[in-house]
Amino acid sequence: MTINNGNNSSNDNAERLDFVRQIVADDIAGGKWPKAIATRFPPEPNGYLHIGHAKSICLNFGIASEFGGTCNLRFDDTNPTKEEDEYVKSIVEDVKWLGWDWGKNLLFASDYFGQMYDWAIKLIKKGKAYVCDLSADETRAYRGTPTEAGKMSPFRNRSVEENIDLFARMKNGEFADGAKTLKAKIDMASPNFNMRDPVMYRILHASHHRTSDQWCIYPMYDWAHGLEDSIEKITHSICTLEFENHRPLYDWFLDELGIHHSQQIEFARLNLTYTVMSKRKLLKLVQENYVSGWDDPRMPTISGMRRRGYSSEAIRNFCKTIGVNKFKSTIDLALLEHCLREDLNKTSPRVMAVLNPVKVVIDNYPQGETEMLVAVNNPADESAGTREVPFSREIYIERDDFMEDAPKKFYRLTPGREVRLRYAYFVTCTGVIKDDDGNVVEIHCIYDPETRGGDSPDGRKVKSTIHWVCAENAIDAEVRLYGNLFTKENPEDGEGEFTENLNPDSLKVLNNCKLEPYLKGTDMLSRWQFERLGYFCVDADSTSEKPVFNRTVSLRDTWTKVKK
RNA sequence: UGGGGAAUAGUGUAACGGUAGCACGAGUGACUCUGAAUCACUUACUCCAGGUUCGAAUCCUGGUUCCCCAGCCA
């Protein structure tokens, strides 16, 4: 079966299904689930969402919407020692920003603690669970090794009555943290460690961000997750590869309980070059101040990317492009940037900005005069219209657009050469003024009044067009240029910690940037293309006196390749 | 030296016994009032060895390599 999910551009070609969608399609075709299919995205609120989560979000919500099902946003909040409400808020915001809708189903595993407790009692009564007094160290020792079976806990054969009593007292807080656990009674000789009497509950006298001090015991992932899926009548429980070994246990709990049994399907998590993706590592970057926070624009977090200027459309297209598979792969960051530019090119209005200004004086232009010239807002979108840009005798151009001794391949401004000032005039460089150290501080030009608007009536051509900003009306701005956070494709490479591969030049702040006046008072997060430079967005640090722009991504640049 | 997974151009992903295709990247050229975008072309792939078959990336056998698992984390 193939489906066509509407917003794909490849016309009549039905999209091929990835292996997860294939399973869902087959299940529907075979009538396995008489009602609509149901998926869920189950984050633990112990960190911010990142681009890897976006892959999972797009998979789960995407499948639900393509197959006429539903997708719940469910917090897997079973470990109060690591979870916080701040994370819940950010996750809700990020999923929403990505454009997905969970309807009324904003759910919490902690709401099911009562039901889970009852089911644990049921297993105890069936003789399939017991209270164990072994310490964490002892439990590890009893578990055995890959080649040797584990040993049975001396507490494995307590009576049902004693287990029920002890378990109730665990719940009531009569025992210290770690003193006892509830374990499933399965098979200490199983080659799969997860089946060697896994812990179902541990004692934790910790305050939970939602249930406060109501519970002294908290369920472990393996016990809790399938129950959560079952309660919500999830049909396809999609998770990452490392849970493949856990599937027999997932199935065992649901079968022993005889309750709704959803199918667990595992896919490979996303890896991206030049970035780390584990929450532990991202947390370290935040806590040890390698970055300014979870939403630092260099972070692969959804909030960081949003602040950097990514559109949710670009992220969703990326997730669609990379596909879904069962083996470890690492996506080239260039593909993410391609998806970004593809969207931004269509949607971002163009504007002129000079990041590294040098003054140009047009000697034959009338002193004290200013005129308005018409500029196109977005050549990729005619409906974006035009705007007026002021021009006068003194302007700024990019320092990189001038060279005194230019190589043959350099066709920007150089003494004696005529170039076009975008939407303005042809100008010819007549000379430069330098300071004592030989740095160019001012460039002198003459202009051709006949070329107003940027075209020459005599049909003469210029080799290049450069951008500029009128000196008198320029807005001063700060611009932040971001590079890769790490210097290595795989930040784990090398013998040291991954933080040793941090790129010291991942942030460059430019304080003397000049923007055309059209940009005055622009909205937070609004996205622009600075012509010939890249895509930029307004940062939250902007003030009315000084706007701050983030460079989302540069334009593709064959010139720097030519320079080699 | 136990168990569970997986291998297709540089990267990612299709092909479901019948022409190994697509995207990104890289390269070349065209066009251009953004050295952008756009367009055209080029480049390069089935982990290995056997077998079944008219025909194998696909099925079988045996190997190789990589990933995951011994938290009272998820």
Side-chain angles (χ1 to χ4, degrees):
Chain A
M1 172 174 176
T2 55
I3 57 157
N4 199 324
N5 62 0
N7 54 350
N8 91 58
S9 50
S10 56
N11 53 51
D12 51 54
N13 262 353
E15 291 225 334
R16 298 238 157 60
L17 298 185
D18 58 65
F19 84 99
V20 182
R21 274 176 247 253
Q22 189 65 58
I23 291 170
V24 174
D26 290 348
D27 286 350
I28 289 173
K32 181 173 176 185
W33 305 104
K35 293 183 185 165
I37 57 112
T39 58
R40 98 269 94 112
F41 173 62
E44 183 189 15
N46 67 343
Y48 279 60
L49 258 27
H50 53 63
I51 181 72
H53 293 110
K55 177 181 182 181
S56 172
I57 290 166
C58 290
L59 221 210
N60 279 292
F61 280 93
I63 284 176
S65 78
E66 289 156 30
F67 291 93
T70 54
C71 182
N72 299 345
L73 174 55
R74 178 177 75 221
F75 287 93
D76 205 3
D77 53 349
T78 57
N79 184 356
T81 64
K82 290 188 176 168
E83 297 155 7
E84 291 173 29
D85 208 44
E86 177 201 347
Y87 296 131
V88 172
K89 291 199 183 80
S90 75
I91 289 168
V92 166
E93 185 188 352
D94 288 347
V95 178
K96 196 181 295 172
W97 179 77
L98 281 171
W100 300 106
D101 180 17
W102 50 85
K104 294 194 177 99
N105 296 328
L106 178 60
L107 306 168
F108 293 85
S110 51
D111 286 339
Y112 312 144
F113 285 171
Q115 173 67 263
M116 290 176 186
Y117 182 82
D118 293 343
W119 275 330
I121 303 257
K122 184 173 175 183
L123 279 199
I124 292 172
K125 286 182 175 162
K126 276 185 82 176
K128 300 287 187 173
Y130 63 97
V131 172
C132 180
D133 298 0
L134 253 24
S135 70
D137 284 346
E138 289 164 333
T139 294
R140 188 170 353 188
Y142 272 73
R143 193 150 29 221
T145 69
T147 49
E148 315 163 59
K151 286 183 297 183
M152 292 203 238
S153 163
F155 306 97
R156 203 173 197 255
N157 291 315
R158 289 218 250 231
S159 69
V160 169
E161 294 68 32
E162 189 183 5
N163 279 322
I164 286 176
D165 173 62
L166 255 14
F167 186 47
R169 289 163 61 193
M170 283 168 62
K171 182 187 76 147
N172 294 338
E174 289 185 30
F175 307 112
D177 287 4
K180 292 183 176 3
T181 56
L182 184 74
K183 288 177 178 170
K185 191 190 289 186
I186 309 181
D187 178 9
M188 290 308 290
S190 172
N192 182 343
F193 280 106
N194 296 303
M195 303 302 272
R196 319 242 273 218
D197 287 12
V199 174
M200 294 164 61
Y201 278 95
R202 76 283 216 188
I203 300 171
L204 241 35
H205 290 267
S207 194
H208 186 280
H209 65 105
R210 297 191 79 247
T211 60
S212 187
D213 299 319
Q214 190 186 339
W215 293 88
C216 303
I217 54 172
Y218 290 92
M220 297 288 291
Y221 170 88
D222 285 312
W223 166 242
H225 204 87
L227 305 186
E228 296 160 23
D229 289 337
S230 186
I231 290 167
E232 296 176 15
K233 299 283 189 285
I234 299 301
T235 56
H236 302 269
S237 178
I238 301 163
C239 62
T240 44
L241 247 31
E242 66 271 27
F243 293 106
E244 220 155 13
N245 293 326
H246 297 242
R247 184 161 16 102
L249 180 54
Y250 180 101
D251 292 336
W252 188 89
F253 281 132
L254 295 175
D255 289 342
E256 288 297 334
L257 257 11
I259 57 179
H260 172 89
H261 193 152
S262 83
Q263 179 183 1
Q264 177 178 304
I265 303 166
E266 308 86 10
F267 72 98
R269 61 168 71 240
L270 170 67
N271 297 290
L272 255 189
T273 55
Y274 298 104
T275 105
V276 294
M277 210 70 93
S278 89
K279 281 199 219 173
R280 199 207 102 232
K281 295 194 179 94
L282 295 176
L283 182 63
K284 184 183 172 80
L285 294 176
V286 172
Q287 287 184 334
E288 297 178 14
N289 295 311
Y290 291 109
V291 296
S292 65
W294 285 101
D295 69 342
D296 186 299
R298 294 166 294 180
M299 292 281 274
T301 52
I302 303 301
S303 55
M305 294 171 76
R306 177 168 60 234
R307 185 169 179 183
R308 170 92 167 238
Y310 275 78
S311 60
S312 49
E313 184 68 18
I315 293 174
R316 286 170 61 149
N317 280 337
F318 172 72
C319 291
K320 190 185 293 180
T321 303
I322 58 177
V324 182
N325 232 320
K326 282 201 73 138
F327 48 91
K328 189 190 163 111
S329 61
T330 303
I331 311 277
D332 194 335
L333 188 60
L335 182 59
L336 213 210
E337 295 189 336
H338 164 79
C339 293
L340 217 208
R341 291 190 181 105
E342 187 179 45
D343 182 56
L344 263 21
N345 179 50
K346 286 185 298 200
T347 56
S348 304
R350 319 281 132 126
V351 90
M352 290 195 284
V354 175
L355 267 29
N356 191 6
V358 58
K359 183 170 280 186
V360 173
V361 179
I362 300 158
D363 293 310
N364 60 337
Y365 193 89
Q367 204 106 27
E369 197 168 293
T370 299
E371 65 180 310
M372 301 304 284
L373 297 162
V374 177
V376 174
N377 285 333
N378 187 350
D381 176 11
E382 203 181 321
S383 70
T386 60
R387 69 184 185 284
E388 292 196 316
V389 188
F391 182 83
S392 62
R393 191 167 188 267
E394 295 192 355
I395 61 172
Y396 294 108
I397 66 165
E398 211 69 62
R399 212 163 255 284
D400 284 352
D401 285 340
F402 176 82
M403 255 184 131
E404 203 174 5
D405 299 303
K408 53 266 145 222
K409 285 284 198 179
F410 182 90
Y411 25 88
R412 282 114 94 149
L413 198 61
T414 187
R417 155 104 42 85
E418 184 173 53
V419 300
R420 175 190 295 109
L421 295 176
R422 179 138 225 218
Y423 299 124
Y425 293 98
F426 285 12
V427 294
T428 304
C429 176
T430 53
V432 298
I433 296 175
K434 296 183 188 173
D435 63 15
D436 295 342
D437 301 325
N439 302 309
V440 173
V441 294
E442 197 170 285
I443 298 166
H444 283 259
C445 290
I446 53 169
Y447 85 120
D448 176 358
E450 295 296 306
T451 57
R452 186 172 196 274
D455 283 307
S456 157
D458 63 12
R460 106 184 160 264
K461 300 281 186 208
V462 287
K463 193 76 175 144
S464 84
T465 299
I466 63 176
H467 61 277
W468 53 275
V469 168
C470 178
E472 193 189 339
N473 306 288
I475 299 172
D476 288 308
E478 174 179 322
V479 172
R480 298 172 182 170
L481 304 181
Y482 301 101
N484 295 338
L485 230 199
F486 294 92
T487 54
K488 292 189 174 157
E489 271 200 23
N490 177 5
E492 317 292 341
D493 277 354
E495 52 273 13
E497 258 257 79
F498 74 102
T499 48
E500 287 173 25
N501 293 324
L502 248 1
N503 175 11
D505 298 319
S506 60
L507 170 62
K508 272 195 203 107
V509 179
L510 304 177
N511 278 301
N512 185 33
C513 306
K514 306 291 184 181
L515 315 179
E516 66 168 274
Y518 188 67
L519 245 14
K520 200 178 210 87
T522 184
D523 293 342
M524 278 313 161
L525 288 180
S526 64
R527 293 185 274 259
W528 304 87
Q529 185 197 102
F530 291 178
E531 294 220 31
R532 302 209 304 132
L533 296 173
Y535 297 96
F536 294 77
C537 80
V538 180
D539 188 79
D541 288 344
S542 294
T543 63
S544 48
E545 301 87 62
K546 187 153 199 178
V548 176
F549 280 80
N550 296 315
R551 184 176 67 192
T552 309
V553 66
S554 66
L555 253 27
R556 284 189 68 225
D557 183 4
T558 45
W559 165 239
T560 51
K561 283 179 201 158
V562 171
K563 277 195 295 187
K564 191 176 54 157

